[in-house]
C-alpha cells in the first residue's frame, strides 16, 4: 500500500494503459485540441517522456494490440474519425489502422479475447475484424441490447466478456462468444448513480471497478 509515484500529466485524455515494457502510457491534451502520447516508468522512476509527439488533434483512448503496437482513437469530428497505429517500441507512426465508415466519434478501444478490435464510441459498440465494421446499438426498451450508445470505456475479462461503461445508463456486460448482454443500470451501490461513468477496469483478481464523473 505504499505510495510509489504520481503521474504528473496535465490534460490527460481518456486513454491510459500499461505497455508491454511496463511503462504507463496516456494520451494528453497539451494545448487543446493538440494532443500527444506520453509515458512514465512507474517502477524505476524518471522523467515523463513524449512517446508520440504532437500536434495530433483529439487523441482519446489507447491500447496495445497483440502485435505489440500502440492503437489510439482520434476523434476529429462526426465525419472524420480514425484509429491510428504507432510502433510499440519507437512510437513511429504507422498510419491509420482504420477510418471512416461506421466509425463515428470513437472514445476508447480494446482488443477482445476473440481477436477483434472493439471500439467504444458515441454511436454504440463497434467491432472491427480488419475489414468490416459491425455496430451494436442500444434499444433501451430491449434488455437484450447494450444499455447505452455512448461507450466511454471498455475492458475484457477472463471469461470472454466485455464490460462497457455507458455514460448515461450504467454498465453493460457483453459476452463476445454468445452475444448475450447483462445490464447493470445502477452499478454504484447505495447511490443509484448511472450517469457519468467514465472508466471501467479489471484488477488482478478479476474484479471490475468503475470510475465516475
Amino acid at each position: 500500500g505504499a505510495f510509489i509515484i504520481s503521474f504528473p500529466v496535465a490534460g490527460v485524455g481518456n486513454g491510459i494503459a500499461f505497455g508491454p515494457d511496463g511503462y504507463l502510457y496516456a494520451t494528453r491534451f497539451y494545448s487543446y485540441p493538440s494532443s500527444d502520447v506520453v509515458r512514465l516508468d512507474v517502477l524505476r522512476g524518471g522523467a515523463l517522456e513524449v512517446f508520440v509527439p504532437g500536434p495530433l488533434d483529439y487523441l482519446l483512448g489507447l491500447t496495445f494490440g497483440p502485435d505489440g503496437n500502440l492503437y489510439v482513437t482520434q476523434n476529429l469530428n462526426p465525419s472524420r474519425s480514425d484509429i491510428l497505429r504507432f510502433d510499440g517500441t519507437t512510437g513511429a507512426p504507422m498510419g491509420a489502422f482504420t477510418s471512416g465508415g461506421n466509425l463515428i466519434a470513437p472514445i476508447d478501444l480494446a482488443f477482445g479475447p476473440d481477436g477483434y478490435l472493439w471500439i467504444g464510441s458515441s454511436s454504440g459498440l463497434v467491432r472491427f475484424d480488419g475489414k468490416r465494421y459491425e455496430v451494436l446499438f442500444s434499444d433501451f426498451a430491449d434488455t437484450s441490447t447494450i444499455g447505452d450508445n455512448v461507450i466511454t470505456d471498455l475492458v475484457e475479462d477472463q471469461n470472454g466478456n466485455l464490460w462497457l461503461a455507458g455514460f448515461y445508463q450504467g454498465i453493460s456486460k457483453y459476452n463476445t462468444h454468445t452475444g448475450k448482454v447483462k445490464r447493470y443500470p445502477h452499478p454504484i451501490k447505495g447511490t443509484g448513480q448511472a450517469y457519468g461513468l467514465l472508466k471501467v477496469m479489471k484488477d488482478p483478481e478479476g474484479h471490475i471497478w468503475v470510475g465516475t464523473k
Side-chain angles (χ1 to χ4, degrees), residues 9-48:
V9 183
V12 172
N14 195 69
I16 184 168
F18 281 98
D21 54 7
Y23 282 74
L24 185 62
Y25 290 77
T27 54
R28 173 182 68 167
F29 289 98
Y30 59 85
S31 178
Y32 194 84
S34 297
S35 52
D36 58 11
V37 177
V38 294
R39 70 177 184 177
L40 184 68
D41 187 342
V42 297
L43 295 180
R44 292 175 291 273
L48 188 72

Side-chain angles (χ1 to χ4, degrees), residues 8-208:
V9 183
V12 172
N14 195 69
I16 184 168
F18 281 98
D21 54 7
Y23 282 74
L24 185 62
Y25 290 77
T27 54
R28 173 182 68 167
F29 289 98
Y30 59 85
S31 178
Y32 194 84
S34 297
S35 52
D36 58 11
V37 177
V38 294
R39 70 177 184 177
L40 184 68
D41 187 342
V42 297
L43 295 180
R44 292 175 291 273
L48 188 72
E49 303 176 8
V50 175
F51 184 66
V52 176
L56 291 165
D57 289 349
Y58 298 107
L59 300 184
L60 293 177
L62 59 78
T63 191
F64 282 86
D67 58 2
N69 292 317
L70 178 65
Y71 295 78
V72 184
T73 62
Q74 185 176 42
N75 188 350
L76 294 173
N77 56 60
S79 62
R80 173 68 190 280
S81 298
D82 305 300
I83 304 298
L84 304 179
R85 178 166 53 180
F86 301 91
D87 185 282
T89 302
T90 66
M94 301 175 69
F97 180 64
T98 184
S99 61
N102 289 324
L103 185 64
I104 300 173
I107 301 172
D108 209 355
L109 71 173
F111 283 90
D114 52 10
Y116 294 114
L117 179 61
W118 293 87
I119 304 162
S121 77
S122 295
S123 186
L125 176 66
V126 182
R127 187 183 79 165
F128 182 62
D129 65 4
K131 294 182 179 180
R132 295 173 294 274
Y133 299 105
E134 178 183 355
V135 184
L136 304 179
F137 294 107
S138 172
D139 178 348
F140 185 73
D142 182 356
T143 57
S144 68
T145 66
I146 60 175
D148 203 318
N149 280 324
V150 181
I151 309 298
T152 57
D153 198 16
L154 64 163
V155 68
E156 63 173 289
D157 68 18
Q158 64 274 18
N159 298 314
N161 298 304
L162 285 174
W163 294 81
L164 314 173
F167 189 74
Y168 297 104
Q169 299 294 336
I171 294 289
S172 297
K173 180 177 71 172
Y174 174 79
N175 189 282
T176 60
H177 302 307
T178 65
K180 291 184 177 180
V181 173
K182 184 173 182 179
R183 296 181 180 180
Y184 301 86
H186 303 290
I188 313 302
K189 187 177 181 180
T191 67
Q193 180 173 349
Y195 178 84
L197 302 187
L198 298 177
K199 295 296 292 182
V200 59
M201 300 185 73
K202 177 175 67 81
D203 68 21
E205 296 180 348
H207 300 131
I208 300 299

